[in-house]
Amino acid sequence: MTKRTGFFGEAMMRIGLRILVLTGVLLPVVAQAMTVETFLAKAKALQAKGPFALASSDLSLLRAEVKDAGAAYRAQIEADRLAGKRPRACPPPVGQAKIDSTVVMTEFEALAPAKRKVSVQSAFYAMMDRRYPCR
């Protein structure tokens, strides 16, 4: 095995490292941009499986999608508060919002088919903004 030395070897290593870092950062973002349309299709497929849905990896995928959207939503509200900005909404403290899978499904299904192309995160934000406006 030869050891790369000199400017060229170091430059190649730096470029390779940057590519790895960028793909590691960008790929998860792309992978997490699930649309409401896809979310609903997966959810309906799970409903059709009945109790066998519990063994499906899509169940944890959908749960994680909503959980991540909720965490991002709360983080944005907190960041706005810390920056002295008016919050986009005023949801109750964590655990008191009473948002379950039925609520999320009802809200997402109420979207017009043309609006189901938005990300789950965008739809979740809009749902929370409507449910918990600041008074």
Side-chain angles (χ1 to χ4, degrees), residues 28-35 37-43 45-46 53-70 104 108 120-121:
V29 172
V30 172
Q32 292 180 9
M34 183 184 294
T35 65
E37 186 175 58
T38 301
F39 183 94
L40 290 173
K42 287 181 179 293
L46 286 172
L54 295 173
S56 174
S57 61
D58 279 347
L59 182 60
S60 59
L61 176 71
L62 297 182
R63 284 181 177 160
E65 195 72 27
V66 173
K67 183 180 176 185
D68 291 348
V104 172
F108 287 2
V120 167
Q121 183 172 337

Side-chain angles (χ1 to χ4, degrees), residues 32 65-79 88 121 124-125:
Q32 292 180 9
E65 195 72 27
V66 173
K67 183 180 176 185
D68 291 348
Y73 185 79
R74 294 267 183 192
Q76 182 184 13
I77 288 174
E78 181 63 12
R88 63 183 298 142
Q121 183 172 337
F124 186 87
Y125 279 36

Side-chain angles (χ1 to χ4, degrees), residues 9-29:
E10 291 173 14
M12 291 304 290
M13 285 178 38
R14 277 188 255 129
I15 291 170
L17 183 58
R18 286 183 185 150
I19 290 171
L20 285 174
V21 168
L22 286 174
T23 57
V25 170
L26 295 177
L27 286 178
V29 172

Side-chain angles (χ1 to χ4, degrees), residues 35-135:
T35 65
V36 170
E37 186 175 58
T38 301
F39 183 94
L40 290 173
K42 287 181 179 293
K44 288 178 184 181
L46 286 172
Q47 288 173 341
K49 289 183 178 184
F52 297 107
L54 295 173
S56 174
S57 61
D58 279 347
L59 182 60
S60 59
L61 176 71
L62 297 182
R63 284 181 177 160
E65 195 72 27
V66 173
K67 183 180 176 185
D68 291 348
Y73 185 79
R74 294 267 183 192
Q76 182 184 13
I77 288 174
E78 181 63 12
D80 288 347
R81 184 187 69 76
L82 291 173
K85 296 179 184 175
R86 185 175 185 275
R88 63 183 298 142
C90 296
V94 175
Q96 296 180 16
K98 307 295 183 211
I99 305 278
D100 61 14
S101 61
T102 305
V103 171
V104 172
M105 286 295 292
T106 302
E107 288 279 342
F108 287 2
E109 287 174 334
L111 292 173
K115 294 195 176 197
R116 292 181 181 181
K117 303 243 185 266
V118 301
S119 70
V120 167
Q121 183 172 337
S122 293
F124 186 87
Y125 279 36
M127 174 187 75
M128 294 296 285
D129 291 350
R130 278 192 311 277
R131 287 171 111 29
Y132 302 107
C134 295
R135 307 264 178 217

